[in-house]
């Protein structure tokens, strides 16, 4: 294994063991996204119960003219955690004067594949992928001198997977990395009836449960752990006080698991907290961003389930 891969594995082991030694055991949700986890997440986005993706796409489609106007001409578009860049295509179709598009993603192979396909479909656009963890530092290549503004694109309500304090720091970093004049187009899932929220994370076909348990399969493979995923059950619920969906894996029995030689004990009913997905009101989100950005425009769907917001750097 290359040095870098070994170093990454060590950090993952440290982070996972650190989390599992806590009184409320936890595993960082970023570890969901191995190859199978990413595929399962794509499947989630197609589920009837998971309204987020299709609602965000419908907002983009309905308001594309206004969104394109807000972005304006000769922008540099930088997508944070670009994945398949599926939603971006809607923007690219409407932004013929875009100076360049920079998808930022940690998965190098996928990033290259997507960028290759995009350059076939948008032959006149300069596409410069950036392979990086967008939550840490990354460099944006110099743009030609004739660009007007940087626009960051962060769809999917992925910002909801940060705790509010972390989201605040993340926004601070984006603002610090951005030019003096820059904007952020961000997708934010909104507070709503608990039944709708809980159904979105407890689909009937059990895809979200598989996605949740897949994190254990990954630890078995990559960290020499011996979890039996069948001995855990998926639990997702809305914590109204904290304004977030919490996902947990609950131990069905008293059991012991080994990770890299270390024993971790579970009582019956004890859980590992695997993810938070914060839901905001439009006002709460405005409050969260206000140190770094001002909210210029907010687009909603007719049910007011989801929002796409255009923030301008202060
Ligand atoms: C990626 N992120 C916005 C998803 C969410 O809704 O928080 C991840 C997810 N977890 C369970 N289902 C989807």
């Amino acid at each position: 294994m290359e040095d870098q891969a070994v170093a990454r594995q060590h950090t993952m082991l440290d982070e996972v063991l650190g989390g599992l030694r806590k009184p409320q055991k936890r595993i960082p949700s970023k570890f969901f996204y191995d190859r199978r986890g990413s595929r399962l997440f794509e499947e989630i986005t197609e589920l009837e119960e998971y309204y987020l993706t299709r609602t965000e796409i419908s907002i983009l489609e309905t308001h594309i003219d206004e969104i394109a106007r807000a972005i304006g001409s000769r922008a540099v578009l930088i997508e944070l955690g670009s994945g398949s860049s599926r939603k971006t295509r809607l923007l690219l179709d409407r932004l013929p004067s875009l100076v360049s598009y920079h998808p930022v993603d940690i998965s190098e192979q996928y990033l290259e594949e997507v960028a290759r396909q995009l350059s076939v479909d948008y032959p006149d656009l300069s596409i410069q992928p950036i392979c990086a963890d967008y939550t840490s530092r990354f460099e944006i290549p110099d743009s030609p001198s004739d660009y007007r503004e940087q626009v960051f694109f962060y769809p999917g309500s992925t910002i909801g997977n940060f705790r509010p304090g972390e989201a605040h720091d993340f926004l601070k970093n984006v603002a610090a990395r951005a030019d003096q004049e820059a904007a952020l187009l961000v997708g934010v899932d909104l507070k709503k009836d608990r039944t709708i929220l809980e159904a979105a994370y407890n689909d009937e076909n059990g895809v979200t449960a598989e996605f949740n348990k897949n994190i254990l399969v990954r630890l078995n493979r990559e960290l020499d752990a011996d979890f039996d995923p069948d001995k855990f059950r998926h639990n997702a619920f809305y914590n109204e006080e904290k304004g977030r969906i919490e996902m947990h894996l609950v131990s069905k029995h008293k059991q012991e698991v080994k990770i890299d030689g270390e024993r971790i004990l579970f009582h019956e009913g004890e859980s590992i907290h695997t993810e938070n997905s914060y839901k905001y009101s439009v006002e709460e989100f405005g409050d969260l961003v206000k140190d770094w950005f001002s909210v210029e425009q907010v687009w909603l769907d007719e049910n007011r389930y989801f929002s796409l917001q255009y923030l301008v750097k202060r």
Side-chain angles (χ1 to χ4, degrees):
M1 210 184 300
E2 285 175 32
D3 290 356
Q4 240 183 349
V6 173
R8 247 199 321 265
Q9 205 178 28
H10 274 157
T11 354
M12 181 176 173
L13 180 65
D14 293 342
E15 282 187 67
V16 167
L17 281 176
L20 291 176
R21 288 179 195 132
K22 293 217 153 66
Q24 168 60 71
K25 294 180 169 61
R26 60 175 191 240
I27 302 174
S29 60
K30 65 180 174 189
F31 296 131
F32 277 135
Y33 301 95
D34 63 353
R35 193 180 274 266
R36 180 161 180 263
S38 302
R39 224 179 304 126
L40 284 165
F41 176 64
E42 282 298 314
E43 235 181 280
I44 288 174
T45 65
E46 307 277 341
L47 292 169
E48 183 57 35
E49 297 94 333
Y50 196 76
Y51 59 86
L52 289 82
T53 312
R54 67 167 179 281
T55 309
E56 185 174 46
I57 290 174
S58 83
I59 297 172
L60 264 169
E61 285 172 342
T62 309
H63 301 284
I64 192 69
D65 289 338
E66 266 179 56
I67 295 167
R69 220 173 298 133
I71 295 174
S73 60
R74 290 184 289 111
V76 166
L77 188 68
I78 303 150
E79 181 170 4
L80 306 172
S82 49
S84 69
S85 294
R86 184 168 138 207
K87 295 164 192 163
T88 324
R89 286 172 173 268
L90 293 168
L91 293 176
L92 300 184
D93 289 342
R94 287 302 177 107
L95 296 168
S97 72
L98 211 61
V99 168
S100 54
Y101 169 54
H102 303 276
V104 185
D105 207 284
I106 193 144
S107 160
E108 189 164 13
Q109 206 185 343
Y110 194 41
L111 186 68
E112 294 296 337
E113 265 169 47
V114 171
R116 212 170 307 124
Q117 189 53 49
L118 283 171
S119 28
V120 173
D121 299 339
Y122 300 89
D124 298 331
L125 179 64
S126 158
I127 300 168
Q128 299 172 42
I130 304 173
C131 182
D133 174 359
Y134 68 82
T135 60
S136 56
R137 291 200 64 79
F138 64 88
E139 295 302 320
I140 303 161
D142 285 342
S143 299
S145 55
D146 63 341
Y147 80 100
R148 198 187 43 82
E149 192 176 59
Q150 285 177 331
V151 178
F152 290 81
F153 184 37
Y154 194 38
S157 200
T158 308
I159 195 152
N161 296 130
F162 291 122
R163 289 169 185 271
E166 293 165 347
H168 186 263
D169 289 350
F170 166 72
L171 291 162
K172 177 182 173 181
N173 279 334
V174 172
R177 198 165 299 137
D179 286 350
Q180 194 54 40
E181 283 192 22
L184 171 63
L185 178 63
V186 59
V188 185
D189 196 18
L190 299 178
K191 287 196 160 137
K192 61 185 67 64
D193 194 286
R194 154 191 300 276
T195 332
I196 296 161
L197 285 171
E198 290 188 341
Y201 294 83
N202 287 287
D203 64 283
E204 278 209 346
N205 293 337
V207 183
T208 310
E210 268 311 296
F211 172 74
N212 199 3
K213 286 185 186 183
N214 182 59
I215 209 165
L216 303 182
V217 179
R218 179 175 186 184
L219 301 192
N220 285 349
R221 189 183 59 243
E222 294 186 27
L223 298 183
D224 195 21
D226 64 356
F227 283 99
D228 178 350
D230 290 337
K231 292 191 175 154
F232 290 83
R233 99 185 137 73
H234 166 74
N235 185 26
F237 58 89
Y238 185 53
N239 180 335
E240 192 157 4
E241 194 194 314
K242 300 236 162 83
R244 67 190 191 197
I245 286 280
E246 291 186 16
M247 289 216 308
H248 293 253
L249 287 165
V250 183
S251 177
K252 292 182 186 169
H253 323 275
K254 181 173 179 206
Q255 58 177 312
E256 185 186 302
V257 175
K258 267 200 187 141
I259 304 180
D260 193 45
E262 180 165 334
R263 290 164 60 225
I264 310 280
L265 295 171
F266 288 89
H267 306 296
E268 184 182 336
E270 187 178 1
S271 79
I272 311 172
H273 187 174
T274 49
E275 188 181 58
N276 288 316
S277 195
Y278 280 83
K279 312 298 169 187
Y280 293 96
S281 68
V282 171
E283 295 70 32
E284 284 170 340
F285 194 73
D287 229 40
L288 179 72
V289 308
K290 72 174 188 298
D291 288 344
W292 323 107
F293 292 94
S294 45
V295 181
E296 187 121 307
Q297 263 180 291
V298 179
W299 297 280
L300 305 171
D301 58 297
E302 57 185 12
N303 295 317
R304 306 176 78 84
Y305 280 0
F306 200 92
S307 66
L308 202 56
Q309 310 204 13
Y310 197 77
L311 317 179
V312 172
K313 187 174 155 180
R314 278 184 180 278

